[in-house]
Amino acid sequence: EELTIIRKFEHIEHCLKRNVQAHVSNGFEDVHFVHMSLPEIDKEEIDLSVEFLGRKFDYPIFIAGMTGGTKGSQLAGKINKTLAKAAQELNIPMGVGSQRAMIRKPETWESYYVRDVAPDVFLVGNLGAPQFSETIKERYGIDEALKAVGTIQADALAIHMNPLQESVQPEGDTQYRGVLNALAELKAEFPYPIIAKETGAGVSMEVAIRLEGIGIDAIDVGGLGGTSWSGVEYYRAKDEMGRNLALKFWDWGIKTAISVAEVRYATDLPIIATGGMRDGITMAKALAMGATFAGVALPLLKPAVKGDVEGVIKILRRYIEEIRNAMFLVGARNVEELRRVPLVITGFTREWLEQRVDLGLYLRSR
Ligand code: FNR
């Protein structure tokens, strides 16, 4: 019976059963710590806490939004509640998936609601950028944004930017005209923080500068190298033309490591480094490069679908221990000190960044 519910949930099904990851890396293999033989700290004293949007969190890991909504909302509710229990236990933030379904069908609100199991968690709602464009029918504004946050008692709202996914799906919302203006207007009246998030193709410094300019509070770079939404759409495509387009753009985008460097270089916004973060060493590199959190989605889906809270926590604790170990080996007592340890950047990531930023300045000021 559970399988039929899953089947209705096409993207979750594809994410669980097929390889939907990018065929290229997220770039962190080009980022190297310099091992320190005399760390001059005790591993025990390492503090992994971070501050973000006025709140303090025990660990620098963010559970990225995945689901909620209409068909199979029982499953969506189970996934969100399972993730929320883990987030509550560890005192880390989490997002829900797109609330578009909830705006259209308010009766699905419960599949996004986690306050009953996670009273203290920093919870982030989620709406899509195209829904704010000036060309779309039934354009969203402050009412929908307030509904998204208010209904689930969230602390902030994420606006997901996903032109890649929309462009390779037949029914995609490829209206993006006027989104920046709409977000500027929303930001001016909206009483909650707004996080602009990509979904697997990365945020460039040009976009980050514009987002900072309109007062957006944080950026989740959602870079290339993890879950590929073009990959997911490849499996959903109904014909050869659709499959071809999705396949061609499977690995389109800005790698996560590169996007973190660009956004850190060009803005002062807090950064969430999401996209292919699969171990704590990689996460420690992202933090050293200037991110406040490493964000994770896909690896947590499998235990979450089963309602396995301990399974979710186990994966996160593994990451946490790996981050702590990396910090010990570079002598960083806390995340702030981690940002000041030397980094060596090689290969493709270096070549890219040399053309885009003053690499020396970035490395000194991250
Ligand atoms: C997502 N992601 C996502 N993002 C968003 O803003 N709104 C959404 O509704 C969803 N839905 C969703 C479903 C599933 C099953 C997955 C795996 C992911 C994107 C997610 O937040 C994240 O940015 C990317 O998946 C990259 O992280 P990983 O998967 O490489 O760790």
mmCIF file of all heavy atoms in Angstrom, residues 99 102 109 113 115 125 143-157 190 192:
data_model
loop_
_atom_site.group_PDB
_atom_site.id
_atom_site.type_symbol
_atom_site.label_atom_id
_atom_site.label_comp_id
_atom_site.label_asym_id
_atom_site.label_seq_id
_atom_site.Cartn_x
_atom_site.Cartn_y
_atom_site.Cartn_z
ATOM 1 N N GLN A 99 5.345 24.715 -1.087
ATOM 2 C CA GLN A 99 3.986 24.799 -0.535
ATOM 3 C C GLN A 99 2.949 25.221 -1.568
ATOM 4 O O GLN A 99 1.829 25.577 -1.226
ATOM 5 C CB GLN A 99 3.978 25.745 0.670
ATOM 6 C CG GLN A 99 4.725 25.173 1.865
ATOM 7 C CD GLN A 99 4.824 26.170 2.991
ATOM 8 O OE1 GLN A 99 5.755 26.968 3.037
ATOM 9 N NE2 GLN A 99 3.863 26.150 3.910
ATOM 10 N N MET A 102 -0.178 23.400 -1.198
ATOM 11 C CA MET A 102 -0.965 23.860 -0.053
ATOM 12 C C MET A 102 -1.726 25.150 -0.368
ATOM 13 O O MET A 102 -2.853 25.352 0.105
ATOM 14 C CB MET A 102 -0.035 24.087 1.138
ATOM 15 C CG MET A 102 -0.738 24.259 2.455
ATOM 16 S SD MET A 102 0.355 24.989 3.683
ATOM 17 C CE MET A 102 0.020 26.725 3.392
ATOM 18 N N TRP A 109 -2.460 21.059 4.241
ATOM 19 C CA TRP A 109 -1.539 21.756 5.145
ATOM 20 C C TRP A 109 -0.840 20.833 6.137
ATOM 21 O O TRP A 109 0.316 21.033 6.504
ATOM 22 C CB TRP A 109 -2.277 22.866 5.906
ATOM 23 C CG TRP A 109 -3.267 22.353 6.920
ATOM 24 C CD1 TRP A 109 -4.550 21.960 6.675
ATOM 25 C CD2 TRP A 109 -3.048 22.147 8.319
ATOM 26 N NE1 TRP A 109 -5.141 21.522 7.838
ATOM 27 C CE2 TRP A 109 -4.254 21.621 8.859
ATOM 28 C CE3 TRP A 109 -1.973 22.364 9.178
ATOM 29 C CZ2 TRP A 109 -4.389 21.299 10.212
ATOM 30 C CZ3 TRP A 109 -2.107 22.048 10.529
ATOM 31 C CH2 TRP A 109 -3.310 21.511 11.024
ATOM 32 N N TYR A 113 3.014 20.314 8.244
ATOM 33 C CA TYR A 113 2.982 20.772 9.633
ATOM 34 C C TYR A 113 3.805 19.864 10.540
ATOM 35 O O TYR A 113 3.572 18.655 10.587
ATOM 36 C CB TYR A 113 1.530 20.826 10.128
ATOM 37 C CG TYR A 113 1.388 21.468 11.479
ATOM 38 C CD1 TYR A 113 1.428 22.851 11.612
ATOM 39 C CD2 TYR A 113 1.247 20.701 12.628
ATOM 40 C CE1 TYR A 113 1.322 23.452 12.856
ATOM 41 C CE2 TYR A 113 1.142 21.285 13.873
ATOM 42 C CZ TYR A 113 1.182 22.666 13.979
ATOM 43 O OH TYR A 113 1.074 23.250 15.212
ATOM 44 N N ARG A 115 5.021 21.266 13.811
ATOM 45 C CA ARG A 115 5.160 21.911 15.127
ATOM 46 C C ARG A 115 4.774 20.982 16.283
ATOM 47 O O ARG A 115 5.284 21.114 17.388
ATOM 48 C CB ARG A 115 4.317 23.183 15.193
ATOM 49 C CG ARG A 115 5.004 24.387 14.634
ATOM 50 C CD ARG A 115 6.107 24.912 15.566
ATOM 51 N NE ARG A 115 6.896 25.920 14.887
ATOM 52 C CZ ARG A 115 8.206 25.830 14.651
ATOM 53 N NH1 ARG A 115 8.904 24.801 15.070
ATOM 54 N NH2 ARG A 115 8.842 26.786 14.024
ATOM 55 N N GLY A 125 9.558 27.745 5.451
ATOM 56 C CA GLY A 125 8.544 27.475 4.429
ATOM 57 C C GLY A 125 9.158 27.568 3.042
ATOM 58 O O GLY A 125 10.330 27.903 2.892
ATOM 59 N N ASP A 143 0.091 37.813 0.412
ATOM 60 C CA ASP A 143 -0.920 36.956 1.041
ATOM 61 C C ASP A 143 -0.492 35.484 1.037
ATOM 62 O O ASP A 143 -0.615 34.782 2.043
ATOM 63 C CB ASP A 143 -2.279 37.094 0.330
ATOM 64 C CG ASP A 143 -2.866 38.481 0.524
ATOM 65 O OD1 ASP A 143 -2.400 39.199 1.440
ATOM 66 O OD2 ASP A 143 -3.776 38.845 -0.248
ATOM 67 N N GLU A 144 -0.008 35.031 -0.122
ATOM 68 C CA GLU A 144 0.428 33.635 -0.221
ATOM 69 C C GLU A 144 1.661 33.390 0.650
ATOM 70 O O GLU A 144 1.793 32.348 1.285
ATOM 71 C CB GLU A 144 0.738 33.275 -1.685
ATOM 72 C CG GLU A 144 -0.499 33.133 -2.573
ATOM 73 C CD GLU A 144 -1.112 34.469 -2.976
ATOM 74 O OE1 GLU A 144 -0.435 35.515 -2.799
ATOM 75 O OE2 GLU A 144 -2.263 34.463 -3.459
ATOM 76 N N ALA A 145 2.559 34.376 0.665
ATOM 77 C CA ALA A 145 3.771 34.220 1.478
ATOM 78 C C ALA A 145 3.421 34.121 2.957
ATOM 79 O O ALA A 145 3.964 33.282 3.689
ATOM 80 C CB ALA A 145 4.723 35.385 1.217
ATOM 81 N N LEU A 146 2.471 34.977 3.391
ATOM 82 C CA LEU A 146 2.039 34.930 4.797
ATOM 83 C C LEU A 146 1.335 33.619 5.117
ATOM 84 O O LEU A 146 1.505 33.047 6.195
ATOM 85 C CB LEU A 146 1.108 36.107 5.107
ATOM 86 C CG LEU A 146 1.780 37.473 5.250
ATOM 87 C CD1 LEU A 146 0.727 38.579 5.340
ATOM 88 C CD2 LEU A 146 2.706 37.513 6.472
ATOM 89 N N LYS A 147 0.556 33.128 4.142
ATOM 90 C CA LYS A 147 -0.147 31.867 4.347
ATOM 91 C C LYS A 147 0.849 30.711 4.479
ATOM 92 O O LYS A 147 0.712 29.839 5.332
ATOM 93 C CB LYS A 147 -1.102 31.614 3.168
ATOM 94 C CG LYS A 147 -2.159 30.576 3.463
ATOM 95 C CD LYS A 147 -3.168 30.452 2.327
ATOM 96 C CE LYS A 147 -4.148 31.624 2.291
ATOM 97 N NZ LYS A 147 -5.070 31.528 1.124
ATOM 98 N N ALA A 148 1.865 30.729 3.613
ATOM 99 C CA ALA A 148 2.867 29.648 3.634
ATOM 100 C C ALA A 148 3.539 29.564 5.005
ATOM 101 O O ALA A 148 3.647 28.492 5.599
ATOM 102 C CB ALA A 148 3.903 29.862 2.533
ATOM 103 N N VAL A 149 3.968 30.715 5.501
ATOM 104 C CA VAL A 149 4.681 30.736 6.783
ATOM 105 C C VAL A 149 3.708 30.536 7.951
ATOM 106 O O VAL A 149 3.957 29.732 8.855
ATOM 107 C CB VAL A 149 5.477 32.055 6.937
ATOM 108 C CG1 VAL A 149 5.947 32.250 8.364
ATOM 109 C CG2 VAL A 149 6.672 32.049 5.992
ATOM 110 N N GLY A 150 2.599 31.248 7.906
ATOM 111 C CA GLY A 150 1.671 31.237 9.035
ATOM 112 C C GLY A 150 1.037 29.881 9.293
ATOM 113 O O GLY A 150 0.943 29.436 10.447
ATOM 114 N N THR A 151 0.601 29.208 8.243
ATOM 115 C CA THR A 151 -0.107 27.936 8.396
ATOM 116 C C THR A 151 0.729 26.891 9.128
ATOM 117 O O THR A 151 0.216 26.080 9.881
ATOM 118 C CB THR A 151 -0.516 27.374 7.011
ATOM 119 O OG1 THR A 151 -1.211 28.387 6.308
ATOM 120 C CG2 THR A 151 -1.409 26.150 7.148
ATOM 121 N N ILE A 152 2.037 26.890 8.865
ATOM 122 C CA ILE A 152 2.879 25.861 9.485
ATOM 123 C C ILE A 152 3.738 26.448 10.618
ATOM 124 O O ILE A 152 4.628 25.791 11.121
ATOM 125 C CB ILE A 152 3.771 25.159 8.435
ATOM 126 C CG1 ILE A 152 4.749 26.141 7.753
ATOM 127 C CG2 ILE A 152 2.900 24.465 7.386
ATOM 128 C CD1 ILE A 152 5.825 25.439 6.932
ATOM 129 N N GLN A 153 3.452 27.696 10.979
ATOM 130 C CA GLN A 153 4.225 28.374 12.038
ATOM 131 C C GLN A 153 5.721 28.302 11.762
ATOM 132 O O GLN A 153 6.510 27.886 12.617
ATOM 133 C CB GLN A 153 3.900 27.792 13.411
ATOM 134 C CG GLN A 153 2.468 28.053 13.839
ATOM 135 C CD GLN A 153 2.070 27.135 14.984
ATOM 136 O OE1 GLN A 153 1.302 26.190 14.795
ATOM 137 N NE2 GLN A 153 2.604 27.394 16.161
ATOM 138 N N ALA A 154 6.085 28.694 10.553
ATOM 139 C CA ALA A 154 7.499 28.692 10.170
ATOM 140 C C ALA A 154 8.179 29.958 10.673
ATOM 141 O O ALA A 154 7.517 30.913 11.087
ATOM 142 C CB ALA A 154 7.636 28.576 8.655
ATOM 143 N N ASP A 155 9.501 29.954 10.646
ATOM 144 C CA ASP A 155 10.298 31.090 11.119
ATOM 145 C C ASP A 155 10.844 31.934 9.982
ATOM 146 O O ASP A 155 11.335 33.037 10.196
ATOM 147 C CB ASP A 155 11.481 30.569 11.948
ATOM 148 C CG ASP A 155 11.006 29.767 13.138
ATOM 149 O OD1 ASP A 155 10.518 30.381 14.097
ATOM 150 O OD2 ASP A 155 11.078 28.522 13.090
ATOM 151 N N ALA A 156 10.809 31.384 8.777
ATOM 152 C CA ALA A 156 11.355 32.079 7.612
ATOM 153 C C ALA A 156 10.745 31.452 6.365
ATOM 154 O O ALA A 156 10.102 30.401 6.443
ATOM 155 C CB ALA A 156 12.875 31.942 7.574
ATOM 156 N N LEU A 157 10.952 32.126 5.230
ATOM 157 C CA LEU A 157 10.425 31.607 3.961
ATOM 158 C C LEU A 157 11.566 31.453 2.972
ATOM 159 O O LEU A 157 12.380 32.369 2.806
ATOM 160 C CB LEU A 157 9.379 32.571 3.385
ATOM 161 C CG LEU A 157 8.755 32.159 2.041
ATOM 162 C CD1 LEU A 157 7.908 30.893 2.193
ATOM 163 C CD2 LEU A 157 7.905 33.293 1.461
ATOM 164 N N PHE A 190 7.197 42.029 4.182
ATOM 165 C CA PHE A 190 7.088 40.714 4.813
ATOM 166 C C PHE A 190 7.829 40.686 6.141
ATOM 167 O O PHE A 190 9.004 41.045 6.200
ATOM 168 C CB PHE A 190 7.657 39.678 3.844
ATOM 169 C CG PHE A 190 7.328 38.249 4.153
ATOM 170 C CD1 PHE A 190 6.007 37.822 4.236
ATOM 171 C CD2 PHE A 190 8.344 37.320 4.326
ATOM 172 C CE1 PHE A 190 5.713 36.490 4.491
ATOM 173 C CE2 PHE A 190 8.047 35.990 4.572
ATOM 174 C CZ PHE A 190 6.740 35.570 4.654
ATOM 175 N N TYR A 192 9.003 38.263 7.946
ATOM 176 C CA TYR A 192 9.897 37.127 8.225
ATOM 177 C C TYR A 192 11.125 37.199 7.315
ATOM 178 O O TYR A 192 11.067 37.777 6.235
ATOM 179 C CB TYR A 192 9.181 35.797 7.948
ATOM 180 C CG TYR A 192 7.939 35.574 8.764
ATOM 181 C CD1 TYR A 192 6.698 35.979 8.284
ATOM 182 C CD2 TYR A 192 8.010 34.957 10.011
ATOM 183 C CE1 TYR A 192 5.547 35.769 9.027
ATOM 184 C CE2 TYR A 192 6.864 34.741 10.757
ATOM 185 C CZ TYR A 192 5.635 35.155 10.268
ATOM 186 O OH TYR A 192 4.499 34.946 11.000
#
